[in-house]
Amino acid sequence: MADNAKLTEPTDEPDPTVVVDGVDIVYRVNGTSGGRGSATAALNRILRRKQADKAAGVRTVHAVKNVSFVAYKGEAIGLIGTNGSGKSTLLKAVAGLLPVERGKIYTDGQPSLLGVNAALMGDLTGERNVYLGGLAMGMSREQIKERYQEIVDFSGINEKGDFISLPMRTYSSGMGSRLRFSIAAAKDHDVLLIDEALSTGDARFQARSAERIQEMRAHAGTVFLVSHSNAAIRDTCDRVLWLERGELRMDGPTEEVMQAYEAFTGGAKKKPAPKPAA
């Protein structure tokens, strides 16, 4: 798991918040052979994992391969890459939710992971989930009460009706992710990890979100953003990590990395060819 440790640096250098040192992350996917359901087979998998994995048809997926970088206070860092490149996996490891196979992850402060798939309680109203989410982040009931209306207004949940009083299961996926981001954004975080939350919502919500991220950076927080929206990365981040097939392909200023990534994927907007003269 990720190691939490206070990181100290000379005062003339920026303060690091996250150090990822030679990290490998491996998933093991169980197959259907090799005595599934057998207590003896289960014991063998514990005692002789490699041999038993092979016999049981366990497949290994090397999701992140020897990745290293240092993040500093006040940075907003984008994570880009094609599908399956390891972006969300790396965020979960930084948050301490996934173990690493090799290497180390050190954090200064408590990372908070905000993902669009993170489940709030569908049978509870949006209002109850605001309190539940705030408490889970360490806010007091008094603090949540003070910021409650700000959270609701920021999310835009009630712009087309009194949705905040309805169960979360009645929300669209976009409404749920907007409320989730609004709850997380009500608090300043040491390290905030955002997984695709800004790809939902209209242009106004995305603009408010980008503005709020800038405010969090001003309070010496560090923000990581995973997004398939190149515009969101450009608007929000000053540094980009490009992961491809689990490997860190590039780490640098946003525009420099984005241009290289768009050349790789063919995602850059091309100017239309001039029409031939009549």
Side-chain angles (χ1 to χ4, degrees):
M1 298 292 286
D3 295 327
N4 288 330
K6 278 289 180 182
L7 304 170
T8 56
E9 289 288 325
T11 55
D12 59 343
E13 301 224 348
D15 293 328
T17 54
V18 177
V19 175
V20 174
D21 184 16
V23 162
D24 285 69
I25 303 172
V26 176
Y27 289 111
R28 289 177 174 81
V29 183
N30 291 323
T32 57
S33 60
R36 182 178 178 183
S38 163
T40 301
L43 181 59
N44 284 338
R45 283 198 295 273
I46 294 173
L47 298 178
R48 302 190 305 275
R49 187 167 75 176
K50 287 187 178 180
Q51 296 89 333
D53 280 355
K54 186 176 180 181
V58 174
R59 186 167 62 96
T60 59
V61 178
H62 204 158
V64 174
K65 305 172 184 176
N66 193 31
V67 168
S68 298
F69 65 86
V70 180
Y72 297 94
K73 286 184 178 180
E75 284 191 312
I77 302 173
L79 271 72
I80 62 172
T82 54
N83 288 335
S85 59
K87 307 181 297 293
S88 296
T89 296
L90 182 58
L91 279 198
K92 290 176 183 176
V94 171
L97 302 177
L98 278 180
V100 300
E101 189 81 3
R102 283 176 292 277
K104 292 287 186 180
I105 298 176
Y106 304 93
T107 63
D108 185 14
Q110 178 59 48
S112 302
L113 175 63
L114 169 68
V116 293
N117 294 321
L120 294 180
M121 299 191 69
D123 288 334
L124 297 182
T125 65
E127 179 180 0
R128 293 287 300 277
N129 273 296
V130 168
Y131 278 87
L132 184 66
L135 291 171
M137 292 192 305
M139 298 170 65
S140 68
R141 288 187 176 274
E142 291 72 21
Q143 289 174 322
I144 300 169
K145 187 175 181 180
E146 288 174 2
R147 302 178 192 180
Y148 172 79
Q149 195 58 49
E150 178 185 340
I151 292 170
V152 176
D153 292 344
F154 188 97
S155 71
I157 291 295
N158 277 356
E159 287 179 356
K160 295 183 180 180
D162 185 23
F163 283 96
I164 199 68
S165 64
L166 296 178
M168 282 282 296
R169 56 181 165 75
T170 66
Y171 292 9
S172 68
S173 60
M175 290 171 66
S177 62
R178 277 158 39 204
L179 182 60
R180 197 172 294 113
F181 177 82
S182 301
I183 295 169
K187 178 184 177 183
D188 289 324
H189 299 267
D190 298 318
V191 179
L192 180 60
L193 313 165
I194 306 172
D195 192 353
E196 284 292 356
L198 303 191
S199 62
T200 59
D202 57 21
R204 288 183 302 165
F205 177 75
Q206 292 181 12
R208 289 199 301 269
S209 300
E211 186 176 320
R212 176 59 184 135
I213 287 175
Q214 299 300 332
E215 291 174 2
M216 285 189 276
R217 291 175 58 195
H219 287 87
T222 304
V223 178
F224 288 85
L225 172 63
V226 169
S227 180
H228 285 101
S229 168
N230 293 357
I233 294 290
R234 281 188 164 99
D235 290 344
T236 308
C237 304
D238 50 6
R239 175 183 171 191
V240 172
L241 307 177
W242 173 13
L243 290 176
E244 204 59 53
R245 295 186 177 182
E247 297 178 345
L248 183 58
R249 186 160 181 157
M250 197 170 179
D251 174 2
T254 296
E255 193 56 36
E256 180 181 329
V257 179
M258 292 304 299
Q259 287 183 11
Y261 177 66
E262 288 171 341
F264 175 79
T265 61
K269 293 182 179 179
K270 297 180 181 179
K271 296 181 179 178
K275 294 181 179 180

